[in-house]
Amino acid sequence: MKNNPLEKLKTQLDIIFNPSSVAVIGASRDPMKVGHVVLRNIVEAGYKGRIAPVNPKAHEILGLKAYTSLLEVPFSVDLAIIVIPAPFVPQAMRECGEKRVKAIVVISGGFSEVDEEGEALEKEVLEIAEEAGIRVVGPNCQGINNTHVGLCATWPLIKCKGGISLITQSGTLGAAFSCWAEEEGIGISKCVNLGNKADLNELDFLHYFGEDKESRVIAFYIEGVSDGRKFMDIASDISKRKPLIALKGGRSPAGSRAVFSHTGSMAGSDAVFDAVFKQTGVIRAKSLEEFYDFAKVLAYLPLPEGRGVFIVTSTGGSGILAADACEDAGLTLTEPSEEALKRLRSQLPSRCTFRNPFDLTTTTADKFRLVIEENGGNPDIHGFIAIFGDPIPNAAEEIKAASESVKKPILVAYLGGGEVEKVEKTKMHSLGIPVFPSPERAVAAYSALVKYSEFRKRTENSLID
Amino acid sequence: MKNNPLEKLKTQLDIIFNPSSVAVIGASRDPMKVGHVVLRNIVEAGYKGRIAPVNPKAHEILGLKAYTSLLEVPFSVDLAIIVIPAPFVPQAMRECGEKRVKAIVVISGGFSEVDEEGEALEKEVLEIAEEAGIRVVGPNCQGINNTHVGLCATWPLIKCKGGISLITQSGTLGAAFSCWAEEEGIGISKCVNLGNKADLNELDFLHYFGEDKESRVIAFYIEGVSDGRKFMDIASDISKRKPLIALKGGRSPAGSRAVFSHTGSMAGSDAVFDAVFKQTGVIRAKSLEEFYDFAKVLAYLPLPEGRGVFIVTSTGGSGILAADACEDAGLTLTEPSEEALKRLRSQLPSRCTFRNPFDLTTTTADKFRLVIEENGGNPDIHGFIAIFGDPIPNAAEEIKAASESVKKPILVAYLGGGEVEKVEKTKMHSLGIPVFPSPERAVAAYSALVKYSEFRKRTENSLID
């Protein structure tokens, strides 16, 4: 089993995300330098392993004893983060080999992305790594993160634990996603920025996150793939178990020229990517916000059994916008049954709109639960979108209770609620209920849930046949 | 001139948004009641006129002397906000007539939106108002706001002053928009929620905001229009001077059924609305977020003279996503001139991507300004999109300086910047530079700017011909 190359890869990547000790080669005392920021973020994220800042001129950085060379570190080092100028990287790599470091993240730029000299340097780095049996992330990348062990070897500081793992060919897009997840309390699980992919590439991390229990959803931003055939095999395999969400840069001629300038990738025909994503069950996002929203909903909600959706709202206008968006997305607004209507009419004021969208008008959170529960047993209603307008307290508790009783996905939009909205949103996110800021974003996210559910059904049926 | 009905309307609506004194009929001591929230928001927004809480049982509310009846208020009352149950509204209206109140906002629901009885009540209210010569907003509405005088007769509390005026047929959508504008420091000018439109409707407020200097942009959410012909006349007239942005609920069959349930409006054929908006120069938003984004950009940026746009970024991935979105939107990514390239190559590191999108990679804010200024004179570049990834300080100051020197629109996206991003975004908004959270939203907003600019050119040319 140990000889299985995928098992070996798993062991190697485990070291990257769960090292017992970390060295930051190029740790700096200057708060403006990346070598300082990365060290500080590892410390502030609460990493529990041993940390060795390496800096030829410093004795202490951020209260940690610093070492003039990696070879002086008195304990063994699992993972080295390299943030020194490119020309010094090969020597640092050799010391890593000597020190028996198990994995390296090269944040430093100045390699193949720059010029031929950089390309030669990158080749040298790779050769040293191969000889020493060390796997490398980067170079020219924005690092890695595993919130579950506080290993924020990237920036900005991201600490909130969650179920989404991220693979990105752009440091900023990973950082933006992570910032939103941090701010909303959604959190991420692991994040890797690929950089130049001299050694490890998106396929390696896809495979690893595919097996990783903490990664409930894998979201990846790519500009091209290293091996199309292999990508299809891995993606089809993972999609059967957990959702994959893709954002692909370079859809258009202008974008694909920019892709070539950015990472030297060939963006490839967008129609081909589209077909590949469809076939392998990868949910494709059209924008960065969709990328985030789709991951958020797929990480937290159960899958609906069909396209029938019921909208319950305290805001008529938002219900209308949601209905428009549902129709655009091919979702079915199932009308409530006569029995459910009868029960609801006896419990709610006549000013409500007794249909789908169900408009409670001015109301309280328990009424949302009432409407959801009274329609929960309807076999043609496969999930709910609850839209809170106004500052309505206790939305979190009532939706949580409704979720537990109906056992169908309930997705929430909350808007126009000022301070109460902020409180309820935070509570809901901590309870695993995803909240969206507008009716249209809620419906788009819900559609992603339906799309993935339909893929899962198709593959399960084809397994049975 | 005083006999001109439009002049008269202006005088009447001036009273609504700039009253010397306000009575809240139904002011409550219970913090959960709307009658309390509205009074508190007027106080907390810093309204400087006299305030009269009217409540038959209270002597004092929120530190203000309360009156058992409007007729006991010892000073004259310009505007009355009514928040008592529907059946008591006619009597309150009569007292308003007696007291010579000049305008009334009826927040209370329970009128034509509910049943025939409510319809009769609404008719009665309207008759009393007409007899007394009082104009009425509502009933069944979420009130009004004029941040410039601190008159937040609505909820939640919105204080931030800005250039966008809002007309909405949905209280929550107005509130959501205002909350975003408050949170971002973009602010609003005036906001009115139409409710049942028993008297004043969207056309009246369109006309008023069209003449109002503080309203630089008018954003309106509608589900139908009261008079199509009149709408076209007013909209065409205003569009020549200032941007109108529309969000229309009930585009789809499901949405238009929901519209009928919500406000009894006929949503009408969406194709007709689309044609009307195009002809009258109204910029149509497809979602609530676009509605907000379009208003934000059109309120603050100068109009570009053409479709040529230049993207400068510190994040390659975001530049690619922006390029894809520009191509989708029919914008032209103009390449820099040879001279500009030469100047930039001598001042910037070779790792930059010297084309459009211009990728600065790891950089500082002054380099964004450099790139913008070096391309500022290019006649085929009509505006800029600057995308900051990473925590880059002083973005606000440098973009402000660049704006002043190139005199072309510069729209900013800022992402992945953690705490620095928040600081810079707030600074930019206070300097009148709109900032967007993703490349795609930035490009969509920029396209709205181009669309309105093209409409203005067409109408100016047709005036000359």
Side-chain angles (χ1 to χ4, degrees), chain B residues 163-240:
Chain B
I164 303 165
S165 281
L166 266 177
I167 303 168
T168 76
Q169 212 164 329
S170 152
T172 296
L173 298 183
F177 188 119
S178 304
C179 284
W180 295 343
E182 176 90 359
E183 175 138 351
E184 289 209 316
I186 282 292
I188 60 161
S189 178
K190 299 173 183 69
C191 178
V192 59
N193 173 228
L194 299 170
N196 294 356
K197 309 195 278 188
D199 174 22
L200 292 163
N201 63 29
E202 69 283 358
L203 302 173
D204 300 312
F205 291 101
L206 270 177
H207 181 80
Y208 179 73
F209 293 152
E211 301 292 322
D212 175 44
K213 287 209 176 68
E214 285 168 348
S215 306
R216 292 206 293 273
V217 158
I218 308 169
F220 58 99
Y221 167 75
I222 52 169
E223 294 169 2
V225 290
S226 307
D227 179 336
R229 190 65 250 168
K230 211 172 152 193
F231 172 81
M232 287 188 71
D233 290 345
I234 296 177
S236 316
D237 176 55
I238 297 174
S239 284
K240 284 175 210 147

Side-chain angles (χ1 to χ4, degrees), chain A residues 142-431:
Chain A
Q142 199 166 326
I144 58 149
N145 193 356
N146 178 4
T147 59
H148 295 281
V149 300
L151 181 71
C152 183
T154 183
W155 65 92
L157 176 63
I158 302 294
K159 296 166 71 172
C160 184
K161 297 173 181 61
I164 303 165
S165 281
L166 267 176
I167 303 168
T168 76
Q169 211 162 328
S170 153
T172 295
L173 298 184
F177 189 118
S178 305
C179 285
W180 295 342
E182 176 90 358
E183 174 139 352
E184 290 208 315
I186 282 292
I188 59 161
S189 177
K190 299 172 184 70
C191 178
V192 59
N193 173 228
L194 299 169
N196 295 356
K197 308 195 279 188
D199 174 21
L200 291 164
N201 64 29
E202 68 284 356
L203 302 174
D204 300 312
F205 291 101
L206 271 177
H207 181 80
Y208 179 73
F209 292 153
E211 301 291 322
D212 175 43
K213 287 208 176 69
E214 285 169 349
S215 305
R216 292 206 294 273
V217 158
I218 307 169
F220 58 99
Y221 168 75
I222 52 169
E223 294 169 3
V225 291
S226 307
D227 179 336
R229 190 67 250 171
K230 210 171 152 194
F231 172 81
M232 288 189 71
D233 289 345
I234 297 177
S236 317
D237 176 55
I238 298 174
S239 285
K240 284 176 210 146
R241 294 190 305 277
K242 61 176 82 172
L244 288 171
I245 297 124
L247 178 63
K248 164 78 176 60
R251 284 184 290 107
S252 66
S256 98
R257 282 192 302 273
V259 159
F260 190 72
S261 306
H262 184 219
T263 47
S265 301
M266 299 300 292
S269 150
D270 196 63
V272 170
F273 270 98
D274 216 50
V276 165
F277 290 151
K278 274 208 183 80
Q279 198 184 323
T280 54
V282 171
I283 306 300
R284 183 173 192 174
K286 290 191 304 288
S287 67
L288 184 59
E289 281 189 338
E290 272 198 4
F291 186 52
Y292 175 70
D293 288 353
F294 290 3
K296 181 170 139 180
V297 73
L298 280 157
Y300 292 99
L301 287 190
L303 297 177
E305 291 289 323
R307 296 189 162 221
V309 63
F310 195 87
I311 300 167
V312 53
T313 179
S314 66
T315 143
S318 302
I320 292 161
L321 295 180
D324 283 338
C326 281
E327 193 121 335
D328 291 348
L331 300 175
T332 308
L333 295 175
T334 310
E335 287 300 333
S337 69
E338 283 307 318
E339 300 73 47
L341 277 182
K342 211 172 147 191
R343 291 191 301 268
L344 287 167
R345 279 189 199 279
S346 71
Q347 297 172 80
L348 290 169
S350 65
R351 68 170 184 272
C352 297
T353 302
F354 291 85
R355 54 176 308 168
N356 184 4
F358 196 103
D359 185 2
L360 287 159
T361 71
T362 307
T363 193
T364 47
D366 56 316
K367 300 300 184 292
F368 281 83
R369 176 179 171 188
L370 175 72
V371 173
I372 292 170
E373 291 184 343
E374 292 292 5
N375 288 287
N378 187 328
D380 297 324
I381 295 172
H382 307 106
F384 295 85
I385 298 176
I387 310 177
F388 293 83
D390 294 322
I392 300 175
N394 300 320
E397 291 81 356
E398 298 292 344
I399 293 295
K400 180 73 182 168
S403 297
E404 280 163 8
S405 70
V406 302
K407 294 183 174 51
K408 289 178 179 178
I410 306 175
L411 186 144
V412 172
Y414 207 129
L415 57 159
E419 293 305 314
V420 174
E421 175 182 330
K422 286 179 200 163
V423 170
E424 293 301 321
K425 188 175 153 179
T426 305
K427 267 196 284 175
M428 284 196 257
H429 283 163
S430 73
L431 292 169

Side-chain angles (χ1 to χ4, degrees), chain A residues 250-254 289 324 327 441, chain B residues 250 252-254 289 324 327 441:
Chain A
R251 284 184 290 107
S252 66
E289 281 189 338
D324 283 338
E327 193 121 335
R441 277 176 73 174
Chain B
S252 66
E289 281 189 338
D324 283 338
E327 191 121 337
R441 277 176 72 175

